[in-house]
Amino acid sequence: MAEKVRQEETEVAQYEERKIVILPRHCKGCEICVLLCPASVLEMKDFKAHVARIEDCTECMLCEIRCPDFAIEVYQSGKKGKAK
Amino acid sequence: MTFNYDEYIRPGKLPHIWCPGCAHGIVMKSIIRAIDRVGLEKDKTVIVSGIGCASRMPGYVDFNTLHTTHGRSLAFATGVKMADPELNVIAVAGDGDALAIGGNHFIHTCRRNIDITMIVFNNNIYGMTGGQFSPTTPHGRLASTTPYGNPDYAFDVVELSIGAGASYVSRSTAYHAIPLERQIADGIAHKGFSVIDALCTCPTTYGRRNKLGNATEMLMWFKDNTVGVKAAEKMPPEKLEGKILTGVFKKEEKPEYCDEYAKIIERVSAKG
Ligand SMILES: Cc1ncc(C[n+]2csc(CCOP(=O)(O)OP(=O)(O)O)c2C)c(N)n1
Ligand code: SF4
Ligand code: SF4
Ligand code: SF4
Ligand SMILES: [Mg+2]
């Protein structure tokens, strides 16, 4: 197992098997994840990304793949929420 | 499919220095996933860069890394590869690094066809030094050194690489981070010199000056203004106007430099 190098303070949101983790120390508040999310799951709070509606997450991974700062992780459950 | 980057990141190095929304981080993640996809051994992999924001990338990743002088990533990479052709050598550079000061190294490495994979972090500007125009700044765009619009025309990295003789040539964007990952993996697996033109963004010194919107809008521009090279074949020319083509443009098997060099050594030493 690789040494955990990014496990400082985290903000964890959980809905059934789905989990979204934000690493506030890495987040630079660029809003890319918030603006690209097709289901409005994410919001800005104190200049950082924040998980507001995890139940709606479609598990598309857009936010994780395009976060330039290794600051958001989506653990899929296999059950998709509804994009609005 | 949550990817665990931890294995590839040097402890204590994040957060990186790049500005909020700078797409260099997205390209770095694509490179890491590509290396993982190909399954390269960390100790057998060398990542070499020059100078610039893009060239800070090797400092964050846990491979053998070299951060060298401006424009010289390919000169150092060539030295490493020649010293031990068993190593997987990846060169990274900004558009200025690769094509302005490093332009000569670039074209001659293309024609030499040495087995190195070059990823150009192409953000159309000298980001690190405050937004001077680069060889890929489009005609008419504003830079600190072209305050009235750029009178020059940009290099097309794909055409340049093909013309100079690179044997694998592709283009993707930071918006298309998964196709980018696939191309980088393909380029690494290809034996010969591979060039991947990775279109990315500099919201700070280029986007702001040219009023291209925020970091997300700059990324979305790639979505709306690129066309896959295969789809383009079936499209009428008027629909392709102003669009940037992406995809794999060239993949050719041809003799590789280290192999050819070894043959010369063998032939000449046999003669005694
Ligand atoms: C020999 C030399 N000339 C000039 C510089 C100043 N310099 C540092 S980075 C850079 C350009 C960076 O642009 P690019 O390669 O596109 O990378 P970016 O910062 O955009 O990622 C320049 C001109 C230098 N460091 N060394
Ligand atoms: S995985 Fe997709 S739907 Fe879920 S938070 Fe990220 S961008 Fe939104
Ligand atoms: S994309 Fe990453 S750095 Fe930007 S706001 Fe979202 S979590 Fe933060
Ligand atoms: S100056 Fe531009 S290229 Fe450099 S880190 Fe900032 S946004 Fe990225
Ligand atoms: Mg640049």
Side-chain angles (χ1 to χ4, degrees), chain B residues 23-100:
Chain B
H24 285 354
I26 308 178
V27 178
M28 167 156 97
K29 286 167 69 183
S30 288
I31 296 174
I32 293 173
R33 293 194 307 272
I35 291 174
D36 186 80
R37 193 188 265 258
V38 184
L40 300 186
E41 224 181 290
K42 281 199 323 190
D43 289 342
K44 287 270 175 207
T45 303
V46 186
I47 305 194
V48 187
S49 70
I51 295 290
C53 294
S55 285
R56 296 295 294 256
M57 182 269 185
Y60 302 111
V61 286
D62 190 20
F63 300 96
N64 300 288
T65 60
L66 276 175
H67 184 196
T68 72
T69 50
H70 194 32
R72 271 67 197 177
S73 57
L74 286 172
F76 284 88
T78 300
V80 171
K81 187 72 185 174
M82 288 296 288
D84 184 356
E86 293 296 307
L87 296 172
N88 308 298
V89 182
I90 297 169
V92 297
D95 43 308
D97 203 30
L99 304 165

Side-chain angles (χ1 to χ4, degrees), chain A residues 1-6 25-26 28 30-32 35-36 61 64-70 73-76, chain B residues 1-3 5-7 11 14-16 18 20-22 25-26 28-29 175 177-178 214 216 219-220:
Chain A
M1 186 58 205
E3 186 183 349
K4 278 277 169 197
V5 291
R6 298 176 301 127
R25 204 177 73 84
H26 292 180
K28 292 183 187 148
C30 70
E31 302 190 25
I32 287 176
L35 296 173
L36 287 184
M61 310 304 280
E64 181 184 310
I65 286 159
R66 302 204 181 85
C67 167
D69 284 276
F70 300 81
E73 298 170 346
V74 179
Y75 296 87
Q76 293 159 305
Chain B
M1 72 173 252
T2 305
F3 187 91
Y5 295 92
D6 286 358
E7 187 189 340
L14 291 180
H16 51 58
W18 294 319
C22 172
I26 308 178
M28 167 156 97
K29 286 167 69 183
Y175 179 84
I178 300 286
N214 61 31
T216 316
L219 277 184
M220 291 299 284

Side-chain angles (χ1 to χ4, degrees), chain B residues 179-213:
Chain B
L180 176 63
E181 168 193 335
R182 262 190 244 118
Q183 288 177 14
I184 297 168
D186 212 16
I188 293 171
H190 174 79
K191 184 148 182 168
F193 188 56
S194 307
V195 179
I196 292 103
D197 184 18
L199 304 184
C200 54
T201 64
C202 172
T204 305
T205 77
Y206 184 71
R208 203 178 286 167
R209 187 173 270 120
N210 286 285
K211 300 195 169 38
L212 302 178

Side-chain angles (χ1 to χ4, degrees), chain B:
Chain B
M1 72 173 252
T2 305
F3 187 91
N4 184 4
Y5 295 92
D6 286 358
E7 187 189 340
Y8 296 103
I9 300 287
R10 288 194 172 127
K13 289 290 179 182
L14 291 180
H16 51 58
I17 55 143
W18 294 319
C19 305
C22 172
H24 285 354
I26 308 178
V27 178
M28 167 156 97
K29 286 167 69 183
S30 288
I31 296 174
I32 293 173
R33 293 194 307 272
I35 291 174
D36 186 80
R37 193 188 265 258
V38 184
L40 300 186
E41 224 181 290
K42 281 199 323 190
D43 289 342
K44 287 270 175 207
T45 303
V46 186
I47 305 194
V48 187
S49 70
I51 295 290
C53 294
S55 285
R56 296 295 294 256
M57 182 269 185
Y60 302 111
V61 286
D62 190 20
F63 300 96
N64 300 288
T65 60
L66 276 175
H67 184 196
T68 72
T69 50
H70 194 32
R72 271 67 197 177
S73 57
L74 286 172
F76 284 88
T78 300
V80 171
K81 187 72 185 174
M82 288 296 288
D84 184 356
E86 293 296 307
L87 296 172
N88 308 298
V89 182
I90 297 169
V92 297
D95 43 308
D97 203 30
L99 304 165
I101 191 168
N104 248 304
H105 293 291
F106 185 82
I107 55 174
H108 295 290
T109 311
C110 285
R111 81 185 163 86
R112 182 173 263 173
N113 197 38
I114 187 164
D115 188 17
I116 293 170
T117 304
M118 168 82 156
I119 297 129
V120 183
F121 287 55
N122 187 354
N123 59 7
N124 315 100
I125 202 79
Y126 285 8
M128 179 166 267
T129 42
Q132 296 80 4
F133 74 127
S134 88
T136 63
T137 305
H139 180 74
R141 286 292 196 208
L142 303 178
S144 65
T145 42
T146 57
Y148 306 107
N150 181 15
D152 283 349
Y153 289 89
F155 268 149
D156 180 319
V157 178
V158 166
E159 285 179 13
L160 179 69
S161 310
I162 292 175
S167 54
Y168 181 97
V169 180
S170 74
R171 177 188 289 130
S172 190
T173 83
Y175 179 84
H176 304 89
I178 300 286
L180 176 63
E181 168 193 335
R182 262 190 244 118
Q183 288 177 14
I184 297 168
D186 212 16
I188 293 171
H190 174 79
K191 184 148 182 168
F193 188 56
S194 307
V195 179
I196 292 103
D197 184 18
L199 304 184
C200 54
T201 64
C202 172
T204 305
T205 77
Y206 184 71
R208 203 178 286 167
R209 187 173 270 120
N210 286 285
K211 300 195 169 38
L212 302 178
N214 61 31
T216 316
E217 286 163 329
M218 289 182 79
L219 277 184
M220 291 299 284
W221 188 89
F222 291 133
K223 179 173 184 256
D224 300 334
N225 291 282
T226 55
V227 178
V229 62
K230 289 218 178 81
E233 282 168 16
K234 293 176 211 117
M235 283 166 65
E238 62 272 17
K239 282 217 157 165
L240 291 172
E241 221 166 287
K243 298 283 191 247
I244 299 173
L245 297 185
T246 55
V248 179
F249 295 82
K250 183 177 177 188
K251 193 173 179 177
E252 182 194 342
E253 300 302 322
K254 70 177 198 186
E256 190 273 332
Y257 187 74
C258 295
D259 285 352
E260 294 304 294
Y261 203 90
K263 279 188 213 158
I264 293 173
I265 293 177
E266 206 176 316
R267 196 176 71 228
V268 176
S269 2
K271 280 189 189 151

